Amino acid sequence: MSGSTYGKLFRITTWGESHGSGVGAVIDGCPAGLPLNETDIQKFLDRRKPGQSKYTTKRNESDTVEILSGIFEGMTTGTPISVLVRNQDQRSRDYGNIATLYRPGHADYPFTEKYGIRDYRGGGRSSGRETIGRVAAGAVASKLLNELGVRVCAYTKSVGPYTVPTEEYRYSEIPENSLYMPNNAVAEQAGEYISSLMAEKDSCGGIVECIADGLPVGLGEPVFDKLDALLAQAVMSIGAVKGVEIGDGFSASASRGSINNDPFYMDHGAVCKRSNHAGGTLGGMSDGSRLILRAAIKPTSSISRTQQTVNTSGEDTDITVLGRHDPVIVPRAVVVVESMTAITLADLLLQNMGAKMEHIRKIYLQ
Amino acid sequence: MSGSTYGKLFRITTWGESHGSGVGAVIDGCPAGLPLNETDIQKFLDRRKPGQSKYTTKRNESDTVEILSGIFEGMTTGTPISVLVRNQDQRSRDYGNIATLYRPGHADYPFTEKYGIRDYRGGGRSSGRETIGRVAAGAVASKLLNELGVRVCAYTKSVGPYTVPTEEYRYSEIPENSLYMPNNAVAEQAGEYISSLMAEKDSCGGIVECIADGLPVGLGEPVFDKLDALLAQAVMSIGAVKGVEIGDGFSASASRGSINNDPFYMDHGAVCKRSNHAGGTLGGMSDGSRLILRAAIKPTSSISRTQQTVNTSGEDTDITVLGRHDPVIVPRAVVVVESMTAITLADLLLQNMGAKMEHIRKIYLQ
Amino acid sequence: MSGSTYGKLFRITTWGESHGSGVGAVIDGCPAGLPLNETDIQKFLDRRKPGQSKYTTKRNESDTVEILSGIFEGMTTGTPISVLVRNQDQRSRDYGNIATLYRPGHADYPFTEKYGIRDYRGGGRSSGRETIGRVAAGAVASKLLNELGVRVCAYTKSVGPYTVPTEEYRYSEIPENSLYMPNNAVAEQAGEYISSLMAEKDSCGGIVECIADGLPVGLGEPVFDKLDALLAQAVMSIGAVKGVEIGDGFSASASRGSINNDPFYMDHGAVCKRSNHAGGTLGGMSDGSRLILRAAIKPTSSISRTQQTVNTSGEDTDITVLGRHDPVIVPRAVVVVESMTAITLADLLLQNMGAKMEHIRKIYLQ
Amino acid sequence: MSGSTYGKLFRITTWGESHGSGVGAVIDGCPAGLPLNETDIQKFLDRRKPGQSKYTTKRNESDTVEILSGIFEGMTTGTPISVLVRNQDQRSRDYGNIATLYRPGHADYPFTEKYGIRDYRGGGRSSGRETIGRVAAGAVASKLLNELGVRVCAYTKSVGPYTVPTEEYRYSEIPENSLYMPNNAVAEQAGEYISSLMAEKDSCGGIVECIADGLPVGLGEPVFDKLDALLAQAVMSIGAVKGVEIGDGFSASASRGSINNDPFYMDHGAVCKRSNHAGGTLGGMSDGSRLILRAAIKPTSSISRTQQTVNTSGEDTDITVLGRHDPVIVPRAVVVVESMTAITLADLLLQNMGAKMEHIRKIYLQ
């Protein structure tokens, strides 16, 4: 059915397949009066573009965005912002052999069962190209958040077994290595690991971490639409993500209350916390400290090794997935996680506008 | 704003505070013709009721459900099912001291900032009693799923550092220990650990695992409303949950494609998988194998130890949380995780009804 | 499916059947800090209560409201407000004969076809009692609107063929006659007409008009969620309503642009209009002038005359609807139309909060 | 905020302004396996295209549709269908004079107040071109409905004071006159009337009627999402519509129960009605008879006569609206009303799929 829309007030709808005419998104509900142009969006898209390092697919797609609506004289007008990216280097011949085979780890089998029909040219709707719409929307959400002093930043915490421990983070190094890790030395080791996997026609996954600073207190709705719950949906809805955690996450399950509770104290008139095991949320609402989330990303499913599978006629067979695939999608997923986080925060910022009569009087009675 | 509703077609709305008149839910969108009575719901509620073992709060609440609408002659009628549970043993005097203090680990501080007002008697809306509405709805969803041959089952995988390894699961032992662990021996060790924490006025968390068998292939919508994404929202929206993972989850991030991909094969005419690292979903849709998810639950925030905090006047102070609290909420959370999973599956079953013209012709042309 | 919820941010969910335990509503998304108590709601409910004049059913229902949640110390807390009205004078024996017959003008036939099961005691979910939840929510919405200087007022414009022309409106007379008409003389004629219909075991309909003053400019979203479009849904969703119009409505279709366009002019620094054919909306947004809508209400379907119909076995037969029914529901529908209008306005007021960056900066940057 | 999306399961999102790059829609939730191509959509768009008769604007826009996604080998795939129509003959110089003036009858004033910014080139988002997205979606919905034997048909019932009485309908004449009236003789009179208004630089409105045959019984949800309520929203959300009625509509308000109730009878084993004052709905659900709705359309607001207004600096002034405008938009609105009706019906058909367990068992247990 209709599951291509995300968000309640800041609401995005993505569309498009890997081998159709293009992909895009409609961003509805962006407030009027936000300065915005194509460069703002292109900068985000360039971060997920293929072909940027030896660890990403060699497909050549410029992914140039066109804004079709919603902007007038460099400002948002409050009407839907429609963005379009044409597909280019499709080479659909590479995918001919998968028309009748179900690729392990891919959506081919449930897609066929669910719809009775499948666009077998590449991943179709389940392709990573679907994230282009998300990233374009994330650029808009980030622009909005920046205006309010909120900064969202994602990076690669681990690649396969290579992890940067929190105490060794050097944020300034993130843009210095092609894996977007906050530590160049670990990134170099991870890069060698990826190279060895490529030689073995294998692939790996990793963990993306995302932080947000400057959030007002109280974002998130206390029951089903908790800040952490919506972030979990947003991030888990990205193709290869298999787990999401906030703050100490799974580690918290082995901790104790006396350690895990973050004590409050006053600092220059502000309520602060002495630790941040919670990762910035209490009761599903932002608590004024840094938001921290992590997404577990599985190894790329497309590997060139021969694998066992079945075909659409229900026979056992082998498959060798051709085409040019990323040995690890983690570095390209960084901006997608950052985008989904920004979109969720922008939506909750808008939802929070009417939380109390004091806000409402401030807008309507003056 | 309005964040008390979950689900698109099978849609629940919960309401109520810990110390108001009661709590409840409206379950809208349940198909007509499902046999249902109060016993079906009461059985679920009894699983989360306090006072059932020495590891749960001694509060005495019978939590008796009344169905106010939506049932006629033992069957659902297609109209909203409204359920009400009156609050009983409130003892709001226990909570007097927290009216002007922010409890560490609780929602008090962001709640006050967000709304400018807080029902300081207990957790108010952020109390664990809010889950009563979820569990009542979960009972209805489970009844519906059972009719279609789908079985959902949750249990405690770990308590603090005590974990049951998958290879030592004995499902039949789940109801035999008060921690709902699939291994009585580990449960006994975990129980001793909880007892020692109680003596230290401390608390712990744990991991709840939930499985579902018998799912049709293709449940879940391929983009934002992926099966795993909605499960992530549903489960992360439960009070103390800090992380959610599907299948191998975070472990998958350190694996390789050649290992993590589950090969397909044919078995008696059915498409099967030789492994299930994916945990039952591919591309956000059920793949016909067992659904597996885990929720990380933080240690109970209410501990009797004195903790540092601030008061509503912005002064540093100490707090000693009185009242009767669970040293670990994991065993009571088991049925809540199971309920949120069942609700999500029921909703996606309904959403999937119109996925293809073949379904639509089957209903309208015959 | 789930169609018992209305509103995006100020969101109501109603539940309950005429002959079940009771009826009620959950009002989610009401801002915190609004003074509210049971009297505020009871006053609204008393306006739709049966048995208030000789023109309404003699059923004796006190319709006493209980607020179950969402209020603390006389103020809304931002959490869902759950209201409950127990059913009392049900006399379900009166309805025994309709268990197997489809009453003309009623929902019995499509209800049975849609759900395969029908609560045949009275109208079930399609009973007028369902509007109790709407009116309770309308009381809350009105309280909110009043705080912002918005006043909503509905009244009976016509009963059967008896209409009060606009130029003869005397608003002060509305509460003076039991038909809530803005002209006592016409109300007296209409009353005699109703009496004559009662003698003939017949019924009539009428037109309810609703106005709102003090609206800010710009409420309503420019495309599908236009102010007039949502009002149309809201009002047409009331049981017996068969038509909705805004401003000149159907008359405008026979007018000319040169007459129908309302010229703007300045008055003491404010943009005003010399006429109000538009009824207060332009392009789906409030334009600062009075909002005017009308709802056409059909004659009561329950009449004591013998009518032709069929039974659930598919046989031609006669039916004589027993029970105590309103010869005209228009006076009791007045407060329902007013409520649905108020709910819609409250929702759009909240939706409009984030329309422009200027608003957002005002809340978050200061 | 975000009001550019309509529908719950068959869900459309429109975007675009009159003088931007183009307009379009994303149609999400269309079932897979529906034959569909660009011609299906172009045929619908051609019915609303300008320049088709002397009574419509002379603007020259080919309005050629491009389907960007969601179709594979001539069939829908279940993924979102994105359609794009580029803007062509914009001549934005015609609109320069309205940049600082509020056109009477237009959305200029509330738009500016709401958003603080307005795309003053033409109507911007409030332009009639926004309906292109609706009509494209209507073509898809109609294709779906036709597969199930449902036929939707709209036509012009009246132009200004010229009305075709029901007893003089000749449906075959609808495509024979450029006003799409079901009576060529009345159409000719109406045409002369329009010509006279054009000479006077004036405009008129009219009434569009829409019927649907072949509907299954039970479409529509019994409370807020009644068939008639959603149709009211859908149709009232079209730019110039000021009123909506179902069946006898406003006339029913002056009728009697004994006349207005439609008696049931059996005909060849089917439940039928001897009359259809209800217009095909009972209790908000389709009753198996013909659905009948009417939309009142106001006179075109853009007239070349000089009118009083104010400017954006708050000064009284005059305005003469230049550009090429329709003297009556009714004939071009016919396909828009038909489209919004079809979209609503398609959505309710999908929503009804899970109304009863019998349906659900039919899909999942077999």
Side-chain angles (χ1 to χ4, degrees):
Chain A
M1 306 298 344
S2 52
S4 298
T5 297
Y6 176 73
K8 284 203 164 58
L9 296 182
F10 188 94
R11 178 181 269 187
I12 72 168
T13 301
T14 71
W15 57 267
E17 284 84 39
S18 56
H19 289 69
S21 304
V23 296
V26 181
I27 303 146
D28 197 19
C30 182
L34 178 72
L36 190 76
N37 58 39
E38 274 155 353
T39 306
D40 292 318
I41 297 178
Q42 194 64 51
K43 275 191 296 188
F44 263 64
L45 291 180
D46 288 349
R47 291 170 60 194
R48 76 160 291 292
K49 211 167 61 172
Q52 309 224 88
S53 81
K54 57 183 171 176
Y55 310 128
T56 59
T57 172
K58 295 296 174 297
R59 282 196 307 272
N60 185 14
E61 288 156 338
S62 69
D63 289 349
T64 305
V65 70
E66 180 185 7
I67 299 180
L68 296 167
S69 67
I71 309 291
F72 184 58
E73 299 181 340
M75 298 279 261
T76 58
T77 59
T79 65
I81 301 163
S82 179
V83 297
L84 165 65
V85 171
R86 294 276 178 184
N87 289 333
Q88 289 186 305
D89 179 23
Q90 305 175 2
R91 289 178 55 176
S92 54
R93 62 189 176 280
D94 279 359
Y95 295 97
N97 69 323
I98 63 169
T100 57
L101 297 177
Y102 298 136
R103 291 169 297 167
H106 279 278
D108 302 345
Y109 170 58
F111 221 103
T112 307
E113 285 293 303
K114 183 182 187 77
Y115 295 112
I117 180 177
R118 175 167 62 94
D119 181 346
Y120 50 73
R121 301 167 302 166
R125 183 65 176 148
S126 297
S127 158
R129 284 190 72 72
E130 183 271 328
T131 61
I132 286 177
R134 301 175 185 236
V135 172
V140 180
S142 292
K143 198 86 196 282
L144 167 56
L145 293 170
N146 292 348
E147 293 266 320
L148 303 174
V150 180
R151 300 279 153 181
V152 185
C153 172
Y155 44 85
T156 301
K157 184 177 177 67
S158 72
V159 167
Y162 294 86
T163 299
V164 187
T166 311
E167 57 278 14
E168 294 177 21
Y169 281 4
R170 288 194 284 277
Y171 293 116
S172 62
E173 298 185 4
I174 295 172
E176 295 175 6
N177 62 80
S178 58
L179 297 175
Y180 301 112
M181 296 185 96
N183 185 305
N184 287 334
V186 180
E188 196 173 328
Q189 295 172 305
E192 284 163 21
Y193 174 68
I194 298 170
S195 297
S196 73
L197 289 172
M198 291 170 78
E200 299 176 49
K201 298 184 177 179
D202 212 338
S203 65
C204 68
I207 294 176
V208 173
E209 190 166 83
C210 184
I211 57 177
D213 291 309
L215 288 174
V217 179
L219 298 193
E221 306 303 313
V223 185
F224 297 113
D225 294 346
K226 286 184 166 77
L227 172 55
D228 17 17
L230 292 185
L231 287 170
Q233 183 198 347
V235 172
M236 194 77 103
S237 77
I238 302 168
V241 175
K242 297 303 287 182
V244 180
E245 58 181 12
I246 305 286
D248 285 2
F250 276 86
S251 312
S253 72
S255 185
R256 294 171 171 224
S258 59
I259 293 166
N260 189 66
N261 283 350
D262 303 312
F264 291 110
Y265 71 103
M266 296 304 300
D267 187 15
H268 292 83
V271 175
C272 297
K273 296 183 342 190
R274 294 209 182 274
S275 54
N276 190 13
H277 299 287
T281 77
L282 284 171
M285 294 168 276
S286 58
D287 68 6
S289 57
R290 171 174 285 182
L291 179 76
I292 307 168
L293 74 81
R294 275 176 300 281
I297 295 178
K298 71 173 183 179
T300 310
S301 298
S302 291
I303 53 176
S304 314
R305 277 194 208 186
T306 299
Q307 300 174 84
Q308 285 180 39
T309 193
V310 303
N311 63 22
T312 54
S313 310
E315 297 160 333
D316 286 312
T317 182
D318 283 344
I319 185 168
T320 308
V321 180
L322 301 177
R324 298 148 297 162
H325 301 285
D326 298 271
V328 57
I329 64 150
V330 175
R332 293 181 62 202
V334 164
V335 69
V336 185
V337 171
E338 186 177 309
S339 291
M340 291 308 296
T341 301
I343 291 164
T344 302
L345 290 171
D347 191 30
L348 287 172
L349 264 160
L350 295 182
Q351 287 188 51
N352 187 56
M353 292 283 289
K356 49 186 172 187
M357 288 303 298
E358 184 191 329
H359 285 181
I360 294 169
R361 290 191 193 100
K362 201 175 279 182
I363 299 299
Y364 293 112
L365 296 180
Q366 47 179 346
Chain B
M1 307 299 339
S2 53
S4 299
T5 297
Y6 176 73
K8 284 203 164 58
L9 296 182
F10 188 94
R11 177 182 271 187
I12 73 168
T13 301
T14 70
W15 56 266
E17 286 83 39
S18 55
H19 289 70
S21 303
V23 294
V26 181
I27 303 145
D28 198 19
C30 183
L34 177 72
L36 190 76
N37 59 38
E38 274 154 354
T39 306
D40 293 318
I41 296 177
Q42 193 64 51
K43 274 189 297 188
F44 264 64
L45 291 181
D46 289 349
R47 290 169 61 194
R48 75 161 290 292
K49 209 167 62 173
Q52 309 224 88
S53 81
K54 58 182 172 178
Y55 310 128
T56 58
T57 171
K58 295 296 173 298
R59 281 196 308 274
N60 184 13
E61 289 156 337
S62 69
D63 289 349
T64 306
V65 71
E66 181 185 6
I67 300 180
L68 296 167
S69 67
I71 309 291
F72 184 58
E73 299 181 340
M75 297 279 261
T76 58
T77 60
T79 65
I81 301 164
S82 178
V83 297
L84 166 64
V85 171
R86 294 276 178 182
N87 289 332
Q88 290 186 305
D89 180 23
Q90 304 174 1
R91 288 178 55 174
S92 56
R93 64 188 174 282
D94 280 359
Y95 295 97
N97 70 323
I98 63 169
T100 57
L101 297 177
Y102 298 135
R103 290 170 298 168
H106 280 277
D108 303 345
Y109 170 57
F111 221 105
T112 307
E113 285 293 304
K114 182 183 187 77
Y115 294 111
I117 181 177
R118 174 168 62 94
D119 181 345
Y120 51 73
R121 301 166 303 166
R125 183 65 176 148
S126 297
S127 159
R129 283 190 73 70
E130 183 270 328
T131 61
I132 286 177
R134 302 175 184 236
V135 172
V140 180
S142 292
K143 199 84 196 285
L144 167 55
L145 293 170
N146 292 348
E147 293 266 318
L148 303 174
V150 180
R151 302 278 154 182
V152 184
C153 173
Y155 44 85
T156 301
K157 185 178 177 66
S158 72
V159 168
Y162 294 87
T163 299
V164 187
T166 310
E167 56 278 15
E168 294 177 21
Y169 280 5
R170 288 193 283 277
Y171 293 116
S172 62
E173 298 184 4
I174 296 172
E176 295 174 6
N177 63 79
S178 58
L179 297 175
Y180 301 112
M181 296 185 96
N183 185 306
N184 287 334
V186 180
E188 197 174 327
Q189 294 172 306
E192 284 163 21
Y193 174 67
I194 297 170
S195 297
S196 72
L197 289 172
M198 291 170 79
E200 299 175 48
K201 297 183 175 180
D202 212 338
S203 66
C204 70
I207 294 176
V208 173
E209 190 167 83
C210 185
I211 58 177
D213 291 310
L215 288 174
V217 179
L219 298 193
E221 305 304 313
V223 185
F224 297 112
D225 295 345
K226 285 184 165 77
L227 172 54
D228 17 17
L230 291 185
L231 287 170
Q233 183 199 347
V235 171
M236 194 77 104
S237 78
I238 301 168
V241 175
K242 298 303 288 181
V244 181
E245 58 181 12
I246 305 286
D248 286 2
F250 276 86
S251 312
S253 72
S255 184
R256 293 169 172 226
S258 59
I259 293 167
N260 189 66
N261 284 351
D262 303 312
F264 291 110
Y265 72 103
M266 296 304 299
D267 185 15
H268 293 84
V271 174
C272 296
K273 298 184 338 190
R274 294 209 183 272
S275 53
N276 189 13
H277 299 288
T281 76
L282 283 171
M285 294 167 277
S286 57
D287 68 6
S289 57
R290 171 174 285 181
L291 178 76
I292 306 169
L293 73 82
R294 275 175 300 283
I297 295 179
K298 71 174 183 178
T300 311
S301 298
S302 291
I303 53 175
S304 314
R305 277 195 206 184
T306 298
Q307 300 174 84
Q308 285 180 39
T309 193
V310 303
N311 63 24
T312 54
S313 309
E315 297 160 332
D316 286 311
T317 183
D318 282 345
I319 185 168
T320 309
V321 180
L322 300 177
R324 297 147 299 162
H325 301 285
D326 298 270
V328 58
I329 64 150
V330 175
R332 295 181 62 201
V334 164
V335 69
V336 185
V337 172
E338 186 178 309
S339 291
M340 291 309 298
T341 301
I343 291 164
T344 302
L345 290 171
D347 191 30
L348 287 171
L349 264 159
L350 294 182
Q351 288 188 51
N352 188 55
M353 292 282 290
K356 50 186 170 186
M357 288 304 296
E358 183 192 330
H359 285 182
I360 293 169
R361 291 191 192 100
K362 200 175 280 184
I363 299 299
Y364 292 113
L365 297 181
Q366 45 179 354
Chain C
M1 306 303 337
S2 53
S4 298
T5 297
Y6 176 73
K8 285 204 163 59
L9 296 182
F10 188 94
R11 176 181 272 188
I12 73 169
T13 301
T14 70
W15 56 267
E17 287 83 38
S18 56
H19 289 69
S21 303
V23 295
V26 180
I27 303 146
D28 197 20
C30 183
L34 178 71
L36 189 75
N37 59 39
E38 274 155 352
T39 307
D40 292 318
I41 296 177
Q42 194 63 52
K43 275 191 296 189
F44 263 64
L45 290 181
D46 288 349
R47 290 169 62 193
R48 77 159 290 291
K49 209 167 61 173
Q52 310 224 89
S53 82
K54 58 182 172 178
Y55 310 128
T56 57
T57 171
K58 296 296 172 297
R59 282 195 308 273
N60 185 14
E61 288 157 338
S62 69
D63 288 350
T64 305
V65 71
E66 181 185 7
I67 299 180
L68 296 167
S69 67
I71 309 291
F72 183 58
E73 299 181 340
M75 298 281 260
T76 58
T77 60
T79 65
I81 301 164
S82 178
V83 297
L84 165 65
V85 171
R86 293 276 177 184
N87 289 333
Q88 289 186 304
D89 181 23
Q90 304 175 2
R91 288 177 57 174
S92 56
R93 64 187 174 283
D94 281 1
Y95 295 97
N97 69 322
I98 62 169
T100 57
L101 297 177
Y102 297 135
R103 290 169 298 167
H106 279 278
D108 303 344
Y109 170 57
F111 221 104
T112 307
E113 285 292 306
K114 182 182 188 77
Y115 294 111
I117 180 176
R118 173 167 62 94
D119 181 346
Y120 50 74
R121 301 165 303 165
R125 183 67 177 146
S126 297
S127 159
R129 284 191 72 72
E130 182 270 329
T131 61
I132 286 177
R134 301 175 185 236
V135 172
V140 180
S142 293
K143 199 83 196 285
L144 167 57
L145 293 170
N146 292 348
E147 293 266 319
L148 303 174
V150 180
R151 301 278 153 181
V152 184
C153 172
Y155 44 85
T156 302
K157 184 176 178 69
S158 73
V159 168
Y162 294 87
T163 299
V164 187
T166 309
E167 56 278 14
E168 294 177 20
Y169 280 5
R170 288 193 284 278
Y171 292 116
S172 63
E173 298 184 4
I174 295 173
E176 295 175 6
N177 64 78
S178 57
L179 297 175
Y180 300 112
M181 298 186 94
N183 185 306
N184 287 334
V186 179
E188 196 174 329
Q189 294 173 307
E192 284 164 19
Y193 174 69
I194 298 170
S195 296
S196 73
L197 289 173
M198 291 170 79
E200 298 176 48
K201 298 182 175 177
D202 213 337
S203 66
C204 69
I207 294 174
V208 173
E209 191 166 83
C210 185
I211 58 178
D213 291 310
L215 289 174
V217 179
L219 298 193
E221 305 305 312
V223 185
F224 296 113
D225 294 346
K226 285 185 166 76
L227 172 54
D228 16 17
L230 291 186
L231 287 170
Q233 183 199 346
V235 171
M236 194 76 104
S237 78
I238 302 168
V241 175
K242 298 301 288 183
V244 180
E245 58 181 13
I246 306 286
D248 286 2
F250 277 85
S251 311
S253 73
S255 183
R256 293 168 173 227
S258 59
I259 293 167
N260 189 66
N261 283 350
D262 302 313
F264 291 110
Y265 71 102
M266 297 304 298
D267 186 15
H268 293 84
V271 174
C272 297
K273 298 184 336 188
R274 294 208 183 275
S275 53
N276 189 13
H277 298 288
T281 77
L282 284 172
M285 294 167 276
S286 59
D287 67 6
S289 57
R290 170 175 284 181
L291 178 76
I292 306 169
L293 74 81
R294 274 176 300 283
I297 294 178
K298 72 173 182 179
T300 311
S301 297
S302 290
I303 54 176
S304 314
R305 277 195 207 185
T306 298
Q307 300 174 84
Q308 285 181 39
T309 193
V310 303
N311 63 24
T312 53
S313 310
E315 296 160 333
D316 287 311
T317 183
D318 282 344
I319 186 169
T320 308
V321 180
L322 300 178
R324 298 146 300 163
H325 301 284
D326 299 270
V328 56
I329 64 148
V330 175
R332 294 181 62 201
V334 163
V335 70
V336 186
V337 171
E338 187 177 307
S339 291
M340 292 307 299
T341 302
I343 291 163
T344 303
L345 290 171
D347 191 30
L348 287 171
L349 264 160
L350 294 182
Q351 288 188 50
N352 188 55
M353 292 282 290
K356 49 186 171 186
M357 288 304 296
E358 182 191 329
H359 286 181
I360 292 168
R361 291 191 192 101
K362 200 176 281 183
I363 298 299
Y364 293 111
L365 297 180
Q366 45 178 349
Chain D
M1 303 308 336
S2 54
S4 299
T5 297
Y6 176 72
K8 285 202 163 58
L9 296 182
F10 188 95
R11 178 181 269 187
I12 72 168
T13 300
T14 70
W15 56 268
E17 287 83 41
S18 55
H19 289 69
S21 304
V23 294
V26 181
I27 303 146
D28 197 20
C30 183
L34 178 71
L36 189 77
N37 58 37
E38 274 155 353
T39 307
D40 293 317
I41 296 177
Q42 194 63 51
K43 275 190 295 188
F44 263 65
L45 290 181
D46 288 349
R47 290 170 62 194
R48 76 160 290 291
K49 210 167 61 173
Q52 309 225 90
S53 81
K54 59 182 171 178
Y55 310 128
T56 58
T57 172
K58 295 295 172 297
R59 282 195 307 272
N60 184 13
E61 289 157 338
S62 68
D63 289 348
T64 305
V65 70
E66 180 184 7
I67 299 180
L68 296 167
S69 67
I71 309 291
F72 183 59
E73 298 181 341
M75 298 279 259
T76 57
T77 59
T79 65
I81 302 163
S82 179
V83 297
L84 165 65
V85 171
R86 294 275 177 184
N87 289 332
Q88 289 187 304
D89 181 23
Q90 306 175 2
R91 288 177 57 174
S92 55
R93 62 189 177 282
D94 279 359
Y95 295 97
N97 70 324
I98 63 170
T100 57
L101 297 178
Y102 297 135
R103 290 169 298 166
H106 279 278
D108 303 345
Y109 170 57
F111 221 104
T112 307
E113 285 292 306
K114 183 184 188 76
Y115 294 111
I117 181 177
R118 175 167 61 93
D119 181 346
Y120 50 73
R121 302 166 303 167
R125 183 66 177 147
S126 296
S127 159
R129 284 190 72 72
E130 182 270 328
T131 61
I132 285 177
R134 301 174 184 237
V135 172
V140 180
S142 292
K143 199 85 196 285
L144 167 56
L145 293 170
N146 291 349
E147 293 266 319
L148 302 174
V150 180
R151 300 278 154 182
V152 184
C153 172
Y155 43 86
T156 301
K157 184 177 177 67
S158 73
V159 167
Y162 295 86
T163 298
V164 187
T166 311
E167 57 277 14
E168 295 177 20
Y169 280 6
R170 288 193 283 277
Y171 293 115
S172 62
E173 299 185 3
I174 295 172
E176 296 175 6
N177 63 80
S178 57
L179 297 175
Y180 300 112
M181 297 184 96
N183 185 305
N184 288 334
V186 180
E188 195 173 331
Q189 294 173 305
E192 285 164 19
Y193 173 69
I194 297 170
S195 296
S196 72
L197 288 172
M198 292 170 79
E200 299 176 48
K201 299 184 174 175
D202 213 338
S203 66
C204 70
I207 294 175
V208 173
E209 191 167 83
C210 184
I211 58 178
D213 291 311
L215 289 174
V217 180
L219 298 192
E221 304 305 312
V223 184
F224 297 113
D225 294 346
K226 286 185 165 76
L227 172 55
D228 16 18
L230 291 185
L231 287 170
Q233 183 199 346
V235 171
M236 194 76 104
S237 77
I238 302 168
V241 175
K242 298 301 289 182
V244 180
E245 58 181 13
I246 305 286
D248 286 3
F250 276 86
S251 311
S253 73
S255 183
R256 293 168 173 226
S258 59
I259 293 167
N260 189 66
N261 284 351
D262 302 313
F264 291 110
Y265 72 102
M266 297 303 299
D267 186 15
H268 293 84
V271 175
C272 296
K273 297 181 342 187
R274 294 210 182 273
S275 53
N276 189 13
H277 298 288
T281 77
L282 284 171
M285 294 167 276
S286 58
D287 68 7
S289 57
R290 170 175 285 181
L291 178 76
I292 307 169
L293 73 82
R294 275 177 297 284
I297 293 177
K298 71 174 183 178
T300 310
S301 297
S302 290
I303 53 176
S304 313
R305 278 195 206 185
T306 298
Q307 300 174 85
Q308 286 181 35
T309 194
V310 303
N311 62 24
T312 53
S313 311
E315 297 160 332
D316 286 311
T317 182
D318 282 345
I319 185 169
T320 307
V321 180
L322 300 178
R324 299 146 299 163
H325 301 285
D326 299 89
V328 57
I329 63 148
V330 175
R332 295 181 62 202
V334 163
V335 69
V336 185
V337 172
E338 187 177 308
S339 291
M340 290 307 298
T341 301
I343 291 164
T344 303
L345 290 171
D347 190 30
L348 288 171
L349 264 160
L350 294 183
Q351 287 189 50
N352 187 56
M353 292 282 289
K356 50 186 171 187
M357 289 302 298
E358 184 191 330
H359 285 183
I360 293 169
R361 291 192 192 98
K362 201 175 279 182
I363 298 300
Y364 293 111
L365 298 180
Q366 46 178 351

